[in-house]
Amino acid sequence: MSNTSAQTQIAPASLTRQFALEVSVGLAKPGQKELPSKYLYDSVGSALFEVICALPEYGLTRAEERLLQLHAREIVDQLPRPVVVAELGSGTGRKTRLPRWQSTWYHPIEISPAALAVLRRELRDINSISIVGFEREYLDGLREVAARRTSAEHLLVLFLGSTIGNFDGAAGSDFLRDLRQILQPGDSLLLGTDMLKPEKTLISAYDDPIGVTAAFNLNLLARINRELGADFNLQQFAHAALFNEATHSVEMHLRSRTRQKVAIPDASISVQFEKDETIWTESSHKYSHDGLVSLAHHSGFHRQAQWIDQSWGFAENLWIAE
Ligand code: AVI
């Protein structure tokens, strides 16, 4: 039986109001202006991200795909049965390739209704698994899954693609600690993490020569034009990627090519940019072995196993809730 239900929590009008609020707060910040990276993923941004994943310079997605192809069976064999699988940010389900997990229940948790609809269509022919999707923020969705599972069922949470790396600073470990609180001791987390690698490799992954990542980043300003009536002139902003040694993160910025003023009527602001001033749009943390040890420890997990793709430098981590 394939049974997918999606529930919408916030109406589109309030989503737009929330977007306007976060844009006005981020662009009014003294010092470094910023915009939340979650807004990179409207339908145009999500399509561009799919293209990024296929770029030869961006090896992350293919590395994880290789790891899951080779080791999913071995990973799942380490877990008690029956297994209930919840995937945070499932997207269209492409990362998971569901049958690998040999579970009876699969709960994709995904804020994008369009992605959930594709997933539902693509997986409808798998009869051995019941699919109940949640159109929710990650932890809200996971709370729903935890409330439904029986005491005999083991919960495996998939958080793949190094999405954890897009949480800024301490937010990643705070998020994992909150996630841990929803689990029972002994439940598992499979966490995909992109590892530290030479700066040159990282920069070409986030500033590719044909400009897909630049378009992905600039689309955020185009989205503000479309949804909030702003007058950003996209020709007057340039994509930039830099490696921050102190935080072990690749940062994406949008650099103003000139001194200019931009009006954003639906956020009730206008914003002054100096020449070469930037808007910080995303951080992508790159992990070291020691960093992962301390992340697991601080968030209440025991490190059970790790699989590494050496050719790109990506790790799949199986952690058990303590
Ligand atoms: C989704 N996330 C893990 C990607 C990353 O690598 O941080 C987003 C991305 N940004 C630019 N390229 C890819």
Side-chain angles (χ1 to χ4, degrees):
M1 187 190 74
S2 174
N3 164 28
T4 305
S5 74
Q7 298 149 38
T8 307
Q9 269 189 315
I10 311 174
S14 49
L15 281 177
T16 306
R17 271 200 302 280
Q18 182 65 22
F19 182 35
L21 179 69
E22 293 190 51
V23 165
S24 62
V25 169
L27 294 182
K29 279 226 163 119
Q32 177 68 67
K33 293 179 169 60
E34 58 185 65
L35 289 168
S37 61
K38 64 183 175 187
Y39 291 116
L40 291 164
Y41 299 91
D42 65 348
S43 55
V44 176
S46 300
L48 287 166
F49 180 62
E50 292 282 314
V51 182
I52 289 173
C53 293
L55 291 172
E57 294 80 12
Y58 188 80
L60 188 159
T61 313
R62 285 182 301 281
E64 180 161 67
E65 184 59 32
R66 284 192 292 274
L67 285 173
L68 295 181
Q69 194 103 45
L70 285 169
H71 303 296
R73 182 67 203 241
E74 191 188 333
I75 294 169
V76 86
D77 278 352
Q78 310 214 4
L79 309 177
R81 305 285 165 85
V83 182
V84 171
V85 173
E87 182 173 11
L88 309 185
S90 59
T92 57
R94 192 170 59 90
K95 281 179 284 198
T96 326
R97 301 279 159 77
L98 184 56
R100 289 176 182 152
W101 303 106
Q102 299 166 42
S103 67
T104 42
W105 287 95
Y106 172 61
H107 298 286
I109 299 167
E110 169 59 55
I111 198 73
S112 158
L116 265 185
V118 173
L119 180 145
R120 201 179 308 151
R121 233 181 8 252
E122 303 229 323
L123 301 180
R124 75 184 153 213
D125 294 334
I126 303 174
N127 295 320
S128 54
I129 302 166
S130 296
I131 302 167
V132 177
F134 295 98
E135 191 187 319
R136 296 286 165 88
E137 299 280 348
Y138 297 147
L139 296 182
D140 290 344
L142 191 59
R143 274 185 206 100
E144 296 245 6
V145 173
R148 284 168 173 246
R149 55 90 74 97
T150 66
S151 57
E153 287 169 328
H154 180 87
L155 186 54
L156 166 63
V157 179
L158 306 177
F159 196 25
L160 305 177
S162 206
T163 303
I164 186 65
N166 296 134
F167 288 68
D168 296 335
S173 95
D174 291 350
F175 175 82
L176 290 178
R177 202 163 336 115
D178 292 346
L179 185 155
R180 162 66 194 87
Q181 294 309 315
I182 300 169
L183 305 182
Q184 299 291 334
D187 283 339
S188 320
L189 169 67
L190 188 68
L191 184 70
T193 52
D194 200 22
M195 306 304 280
L196 268 174
K197 47 186 67 67
E199 182 168 340
K200 198 164 162 276
T201 311
L202 287 172
I203 296 302
S204 51
Y206 290 83
D207 193 5
D208 62 273
I210 63 169
V212 183
T213 311
F216 172 68
N217 200 8
L218 282 162
N219 176 59
L220 183 47
L221 302 185
R223 179 178 184 180
I224 297 172
N225 286 350
R226 288 191 294 268
E227 295 183 22
L228 303 177
D231 61 359
F232 278 103
N233 176 350
L234 302 192
Q235 311 301 322
Q236 295 301 338
F237 286 85
H239 167 69
L242 58 92
F243 183 65
N244 184 327
E245 284 280 354
T247 61
H248 287 186
S249 301
V250 179
E251 293 180 4
M252 292 205 310
H253 289 253
L254 290 161
R255 180 176 58 76
S256 176
R257 295 182 192 271
T258 180
R259 186 167 199 276
Q260 57 184 317
K261 195 170 204 161
V262 176
I264 313 177
D266 295 356
S268 310
I269 53 165
S270 74
V271 187
Q272 178 70 50
F273 291 92
E274 299 306 321
K275 183 173 182 323
D276 293 329
E277 185 178 4
T278 73
I279 311 170
W280 177 20
T281 53
E282 186 188 64
S283 284
S284 191
H285 187 78
K286 304 301 163 192
Y287 294 85
S288 64
H289 173 77
D290 291 353
L292 285 173
V293 170
S294 94
L295 186 61
H297 177 71
H298 285 109
S299 43
F301 288 94
H302 157 76
R303 291 163 47 251
Q304 165 95 357
Q306 186 184 58
W307 294 265
I308 293 186
D309 180 88
Q310 297 290 359
S311 69
W312 174 255
F314 189 93
E316 215 61 82
N317 306 277
L318 183 62
W319 292 357
I320 309 296
E322 286 178 333

